[in-house]
Amino acid sequence: MAYKKTEQYDEKATLDLSANYKSIIQSLGEDVDREGLLKTPERIAKAMQFMTQGYQQDAVAILNSAKFHEEVSEMVIVKDIEIYSMCEHHMLPFIGKAHVAYIPNGYITGLSKIARVVDVFARRLQVQERLTTQILHAIDDALNPHGVAVVIEAQHLCMMMRGVQKQNSLTTTSAFSGEFEKNTTRSEFMKLVTARLS
């Protein structure tokens, strides 16, 4: 039985992107007709569509799809959410973790939806600063909580592979709204995020 992998991609986008990537590879001085590169333009075209799929997704709709009325007003934290995004300046990856919290105001959402919201915005051409605030605003808009906190830590390959070439630098961004603008609430969040519970 022959192996057949099933994937769905926009056919026109795949053709357009493939043609452009073929031209880029040629411009770099490579032979696009050699065996190892024959299917590379198409592979890149599909990979780029996968890595930017967030443009076709609605973060607020995702949160609303699992929105439940619940009289809970304690902090909800989902931490260590893996992030794989693309820097919009050099189209190189940045990789890290997001820590997201909110204080419900009559409604909660499925925990997996928080991670999905992170992916919606990470799977676009991004800067870490904007990614952080987009996650916060989506949760604010969908749930109208008492407050939202987002902290992202990431390593940027545009700083590691090129330019300044600093291998151990870590970029941290944060955004807070509502109750998290108060020092005591923010401190509790940061303490819980950094704690390693056994």
Side-chain angles (χ1 to χ4, degrees):
M1 209 172 173
Y3 168 73
K4 184 166 174 58
K5 189 161 124 184
T6 311
E7 295 175 330
Q8 289 186 330
Y9 294 98
D10 182 282
E11 193 175 328
K12 184 180 184 309
T14 302
L15 289 171
D16 290 347
L17 287 164
S18 295
N20 284 308
Y21 281 117
K22 184 173 183 178
S23 177
I24 289 168
I25 293 168
Q26 282 178 318
S27 296
L28 292 172
E30 261 289 3
D31 175 9
V32 292
D33 294 319
R34 72 176 175 85
E35 184 183 17
L37 291 175
L38 281 176
K39 292 188 177 180
T40 297
E42 182 183 350
R43 288 190 193 103
I44 303 172
K46 289 179 176 179
M48 287 304 296
Q49 287 177 79
F50 180 84
M51 291 185 288
T52 59
Q53 63 186 284
Y55 290 117
Q56 280 75 51
Q57 298 170 339
D58 183 331
V60 172
I62 287 169
L63 290 165
N64 283 333
S65 73
K67 185 175 175 180
F68 309 104
H69 182 71
E70 202 64 56
E71 292 302 325
V72 176
S73 58
E74 300 301 320
M75 194 183 301
V76 177
I77 303 174
V78 183
K79 66 181 187 178
D80 294 337
I81 303 167
E82 299 96 335
I83 283 179
Y84 302 95
S85 194
M86 299 277 285
C87 161
E88 68 181 33
H89 299 142
H90 300 98
M91 286 182 70
L92 287 171
F94 64 94
I95 300 164
K97 291 180 179 179
H99 314 292
V100 181
Y102 72 100
I103 300 172
N105 180 21
Y107 290 95
I108 61 170
T109 190
L111 297 176
S112 69
K113 305 307 178 193
I114 300 294
R116 288 188 190 281
V117 165
V118 171
D119 275 349
V120 166
F121 295 114
R123 296 296 189 176
R124 301 179 183 189
L125 300 182
Q126 274 292 9
V127 293
Q128 185 175 328
E129 297 89 338
R130 183 173 65 237
L131 173 60
T132 308
T133 58
Q134 284 178 327
I135 295 165
L136 180 138
H137 291 314
I139 297 169
D140 252 342
D141 291 347
L143 301 178
N144 191 31
H146 290 298
V148 181
V150 181
V151 172
I152 294 177
E153 306 167 283
Q155 290 186 293
H156 292 247
L157 268 67
C158 59
M159 285 183 66
M160 298 167 71
M161 292 177 65
R162 56 161 302 283
V164 72
Q165 296 181 69
K166 297 301 177 193
Q167 306 306 308
N168 299 305
S169 63
L170 188 69
T171 300
T172 303
T173 50
S174 63
F176 303 99
S177 71
E179 288 295 314
F180 287 100
E181 293 178 307
K182 296 177 181 176
N183 284 335
T184 51
T185 313
R186 188 162 62 241
S187 294
E188 181 186 349
F189 164 71
M190 295 305 294
K191 184 179 178 182
L192 289 168
V193 161
T194 54
R196 290 291 168 242
L197 305 176
S198 56

